[in-house]
Every structure is written in C-alpha cells, then in structure tokens.
Amino acid sequence: MARIISSYIFRGILMNLRFSKLLKKLSSFGNQIDQLSNILNYGRLISINGLVLEAFGLNSSIGSECFIERIIESKRRDIIAEIIGFSGKKTFLLASEDISGVLPGARIFLKLGNHKNYSLKKIPLTTKLLGRVLDARGNPLDQLPKIDYKYYSTIEKKIINPLNRTSITEVLDTGIRSINALLTIGKGQKIGIFSSSGIGKSILLGMIAKYTKADVIVIGLIGERGREVKDFIKNTLGTKGLSRSVIIAAPADFSPILKIKSASYAANIAEYFFKKNQNVLLIIDSLTRYAMAQREISLSLGELPVAKGYPASLFSKISSLVESTGMVNNKKGSITSFYTILNEGEDEQDPVAHLARSILDGHIILSRYYADAGHYPAIDIESSISRVMPNIIDSKQYKQASYFKKLVSAFQRNRDLINIGAYVHGTDMILDHAIKIWPKLEKFLQQKISEKHNYDASCKDLNEIFL
C-alpha cells in the first residue's frame, strides 16, 4: 500500500514538473510573439519632387505615419513620414526630417495599428506635461525623460456645436495695464497680436505668459528661430513661469509637417486641461508661420496659389485651428487664446492678417513708431480693439476707455502741428484736454517688463487720470 501511495506521489510530482515546463515554454512563446515586428506591409519609394515623396504599394489613409528605410554607416536609421495625398496607385508623403541617405526604391513601412484608420495617432496628454518642452509628437526637447506611453491618448477631431459654446462673461487679468483697462479681455476670448519683426512681440508675449491669471499656460512656438526658443524659455518665461506651462516647439529648421502638428498638439493640450476645469492660456506664436507651413505643403501637391502665394485651402485650415478650442456649457474652465500674426512691411492686405482679423474676437496692434520711440509695450491703442470688452466691464470703465482712445487719437493726428506750435488753443476741446494731460496718458500706456499691474489697479489708475 505504501508503494502504491509513493508511486502516485511520484507521478504527481512528475506531472507538476512537466506542467511547469509547459507553462515556461508557453510564456517564452508569448514573449516571442510580443517581440514580432508590428509592420503591416511596405511599399517602395519611386520619386522625390521637392518636399513631396512618391511611393507605390502603400494602402492607407491620409495622415498615416510611415517609416522610410535609410542606411547610414551600415546602420538602419528610418525616417518618419506622413501620407498627405494620393493619385491613382501613387501615394504622396512628406518627411518630417532630412531625407539625405535615402536610396532609390527604398522600402516604406507602415506600422500595424489597432484601428482600420491608421491616421488616429496617439500623443501624450497628462498633467505630467507641465514644465516640459516637447516637439510635435510629444518627444522631449528638454533632455528630460520621455513621457510614459500609458499617458498617450488618441485624438479624434470633433466640431463643437456653436449652440453649446458658452458666452464670455468674466474678465481675464493679464497683468498689463493698458490691456486690462483699455482692451479688457474675457476668459475664453481669442485675440490676435499683429506685429512686424523687432518691435517687442516676444517681450509682450512673455509678460502675458508670466502675469496672466491662469492655471495652465500652453505655448506653441511655431517656426521661430532656435535661439529665440531657448531665450524665451530661459529669460522671458523663467523657471516659475515654466513650472505651470507646457511648451511645444517647432523651430524654423523643422519640417513643415511638424510645424503644423505642433500648433494642433498645443490646441489639444489646452483642450485636455480645459476639460479638467482649468483656466488655460493658449499662445500660438506664430499663426503666420503655421500658414507658411501649410502653403509649402499645398504648393508641393500642386494646389494653385490664389492670394500672395497662398492656396485657397489655407483659409479653412486656419479657421479650423482657431475654432478647434472653445468653451462649452458643461465645463467650468476656459481657454483664452493669443495668436501672433506677422505683418510684413505693415501690409494690411496680407491674406493671413485679413482672415485673422475677421475670425478672432479682437486684435492688439503693435506699432513700429512707438517701438522706435522707446515706448513699450508698443501697443497702438487707437487701432486695437477687444470685441467682448463692452459685455464684461461696467459702463463707467467703458466710457473712460473710449474717451482715453479719443484723446490719444486727437493728439497723434495733430502731433506735427503741436510740435511746431501751429495749433491754436481753443480750436478743439478734446485736443486741448489731450495736450494738457498727455504726460499722464503716455505714462499710463508704458510699462516695464518687471512690472505687473492687476486688473483692479489698472482700472484705478485709469480713473485717476480723469480726476
């Protein structure tokens, strides 16, 4: 009996060992499956025409990411590209980096995705983005560790029902006296900053980023100089400002496709924090560089230019970017957006500037005349306007702001007559008053970079001018 029991025990142990070995083999097999290539298929590169690469054999949707085979020093270093169009069996791609080293007939790989539509790519969206500087794909530019893949999310573009948008009712404190009192901005407003080069645009943006009362600041630096990106982060924004900010950068030497994606990614991040009921400040610098990147791609695809080299499709794409963010009824947060627009040579007929004026909720114009005179911020208060200002401030402040602009306008129109002593006192009562208090008006409009004036103090200073 003892032998029988021992035999059964031995057989049981042997079976457990065999089962354990089987489990290890299955586990090893599972690991091998996980390590298999996730390449779905590949095509071949057949032509390069300017920025556009032509391929044969790819079958995927517009927006899908591909990998172009490239061998450098006996090592494979693939290039990321994106499908931007097709004609018959030919597929058009745009590379996101330099294509040097690519050989004729190079293979183009397409990754296996979880959706039939491979254009639904994932990008990192998490509170851990705060304090980070990233590129259009969420890769770090700040030498810090890469965002964990578990925080990546799929973005699907949705159009906001206009009837679900919330009215703008609250004042946003920007910390800049002239804007607070004379161009009052509301939470959720979209504002354009129009400027030519070298008149203090970046300094003004830095002041807005540092002093605005917002929970989160999202900054998209599109097409700017590489040196300027670092200078803005280190000197203008500072460590304290960066701690509550997310910066998405695509400098001037980046691919046009990355510049476009950087602007879209910045808008997606702003939307993410807004859905968490945060008050978000979104800054896109600049909308003009974004438009130029769109123009490069459209012209490379053969689209005809219709206005100063810009194709017709550009105007809907700018509108789509601007309207992609907004306040909706069931959220307590807000997204206030600032878009910079470059006025080359003070050209008011620039199509990008003209479109931006029409679709934004106001505009701040920077003047070279003021900048040359050492007047900062160089805001042309006469030409600037906030369209929601009458709805969010009291009637007293609105009357004072309107009268302030009348005084400035009267003085500037007659500046030459005043300087040569040709103006006769008593001819114009408004101009007489402007001449009398001009030093106060000029002082009110100027502000040092290190100064911060909150909304209440700005309104108080405006009221004291007319006492």
Side-chain angles (χ1 to χ4, degrees):
M1 190 69 177
R3 287 181 179 180
I4 294 173
I5 294 172
S6 299
S7 176
Y8 277 115
I9 292 173
F10 178 75
R11 288 178 184 178
I13 293 171
L14 187 62
M15 287 179 66
N16 285 335
L17 289 173
R18 288 175 179 175
F19 185 69
S20 177
K21 289 180 180 179
L22 179 61
L23 286 177
K24 286 182 179 179
K25 287 183 179 180
L26 289 173
S27 176
S28 176
F29 183 67
N31 291 334
Q32 290 176 17
I33 291 175
D34 291 338
Q35 292 172 6
L36 288 175
S37 172
N38 60 351
I39 297 301
L40 176 66
N41 60 17
Y42 67 85
R44 291 281 184 178
L45 183 66
I46 59 174
S47 174
I48 298 177
N49 184 15
L51 295 174
V52 177
L53 290 74
E54 295 182 9
F56 183 83
L58 288 176
N59 184 19
S60 188
S61 59
I62 291 176
S64 300
E65 281 193 347
C66 304
F67 297 85
I68 304 172
E69 183 181 43
R70 177 176 61 168
I71 307 297
I72 297 179
E73 296 179 353
S74 301
K75 293 183 180 180
R76 183 171 160 182
R77 298 177 183 176
D78 292 349
I79 298 172
I80 299 176
E82 182 173 313
I83 296 176
I84 58 173
F86 53 84
S87 176
K89 294 184 178 181
K90 289 194 298 185
T91 302
F92 303 131
L93 304 99
L94 195 70
S96 61
E97 53 189 294
D98 184 37
I99 59 173
S100 60
V102 175
L103 297 173
R107 291 181 297 175
I108 303 177
F109 299 95
L110 181 69
K111 273 194 173 182
L112 180 64
N114 296 323
H115 303 272
K116 290 183 178 179
N117 184 359
Y118 303 106
S119 65
L120 296 178
K121 295 176 287 295
K122 290 187 175 183
I123 54 176
L125 291 175
T126 169
T127 54
K128 295 183 181 297
L129 293 173
L130 291 172
R132 298 301 304 271
V133 184
L134 309 170
D135 68 6
R137 291 188 173 86
N139 297 318
L141 297 175
D142 51 12
Q143 313 302 320
L144 296 176
K146 189 174 181 178
I147 304 295
D148 195 308
Y149 193 74
K150 67 181 180 181
Y151 298 115
Y152 279 60
S153 302
T154 300
I155 300 298
E156 294 187 54
K157 187 175 180 180
K158 295 180 181 179
I159 297 176
I160 301 174
N161 186 331
L163 298 183
N164 290 338
R165 292 186 182 269
T166 306
S167 299
I168 298 171
T169 57
E170 295 183 54
V171 171
L172 178 74
D173 187 353
T174 63
I176 300 173
R177 181 168 52 199
S178 56
I179 295 177
N180 279 343
L182 306 175
L183 303 169
T184 311
I185 293 171
K187 292 181 180 179
Q189 191 171 347
K190 298 180 176 71
I191 293 288
I193 298 178
F194 294 75
S195 167
S196 55
S197 59
I199 58 176
K201 170 179 63 68
S202 297
I203 293 175
L204 178 61
L205 286 179
M207 293 173 70
I208 291 172
K210 284 196 294 185
Y211 300 145
T212 297
K213 283 190 176 180
D215 301 315
V216 177
I217 302 168
V218 182
I219 304 173
L221 299 175
I222 315 300
E224 298 298 322
R225 297 183 297 275
R227 179 200 59 78
E228 192 174 49
V229 172
K230 185 175 181 179
D231 184 70
F232 181 86
I233 295 169
K234 184 177 180 180
N235 300 324
T236 307
L237 193 60
T239 305
K240 186 177 180 180
L242 181 61
S243 64
R244 61 169 181 157
S245 304
V246 184
I247 297 178
I248 308 300
D253 57 342
F254 275 39
S255 165
I257 197 72
L258 290 181
K259 295 175 186 176
I260 293 169
K261 287 183 175 297
S262 293
S264 300
Y265 185 25
N268 289 329
I269 294 173
E271 192 75 16
Y272 170 81
F273 283 103
F274 161 68
K275 288 179 179 178
K276 292 186 173 295
N277 296 323
Q278 302 285 304
N279 290 312
V280 183
L281 175 65
L282 172 63
I283 297 174
I284 300 294
D285 182 23
S286 70
L287 194 64
T288 302
R289 304 297 187 203
Y290 170 84
M292 288 178 175
Q294 290 281 12
R295 178 173 62 183
E296 282 187 71
I297 296 174
S298 298
L299 294 181
S300 296
L301 287 172
E303 191 174 349
L304 295 176
V306 295
K308 293 200 172 183
Y310 290 104
S313 62
L314 171 73
F315 304 107
S316 63
K317 289 174 181 176
I318 290 178
S319 300
S320 178
L321 174 67
V322 172
E323 290 295 316
S324 64
T325 59
M327 297 167 59
V328 290
N329 294 334
N330 61 344
K331 298 296 177 183
K332 297 180 181 179
S334 63
I335 302 177
T336 307
S337 308
F338 284 86
Y339 301 88
T340 65
I341 297 95
L342 299 175
N343 277 341
E344 303 295 343
E346 308 292 342
D347 184 5
E348 295 185 358
Q349 298 305 314
D350 178 74
V352 177
H354 185 72
L355 175 65
R357 283 175 182 266
S358 64
I359 63 175
L360 295 174
D361 301 321
H363 45 266
I364 297 172
I365 310 296
L366 300 188
S367 166
R368 186 169 295 279
Y369 170 81
Y370 284 115
D372 291 342
H375 178 121
Y376 291 102
I379 298 174
D380 184 352
I381 209 67
E382 304 168 66
S383 304
S384 304
I385 190 172
S386 170
R387 291 193 174 109
V388 305
M389 180 178 174
N391 303 324
I392 59 176
I393 62 172
D394 57 52
S395 57
K396 179 182 178 182
Q397 182 192 341
Y398 186 70
K399 288 178 181 178
Q400 289 178 336
S402 299
Y403 186 61
F404 188 104
K405 294 180 75 170
K406 279 185 179 180
L407 294 175
V408 172
S409 179
F411 187 90
Q412 295 293 4
R413 285 200 313 269
N414 296 277
R415 177 181 286 274
D416 292 338
L417 292 176
I418 297 169
N419 288 339
I420 64 175
Y423 173 71
V424 178
H425 183 76
T427 306
D428 185 337
M429 292 181 61
I430 292 179
L431 182 55
D432 290 342
H433 192 195
I435 295 171
K436 181 180 178 181
I437 64 171
W438 180 249
K440 291 183 179 180
L441 301 178
E442 199 169 31
K443 182 180 179 181
F444 182 87
L445 294 173
Q446 296 183 40
Q447 183 174 331
K448 294 179 180 179
I449 301 174
S450 57
E451 292 179 353
K452 177 183 177 181
H453 296 273
N454 62 38
Y455 177 72
D456 292 333
S458 301
C459 293
K460 182 181 178 182
D461 290 345
L462 176 65
N463 186 57
E464 288 178 352
I465 289 177
F466 302 112
L467 291 179

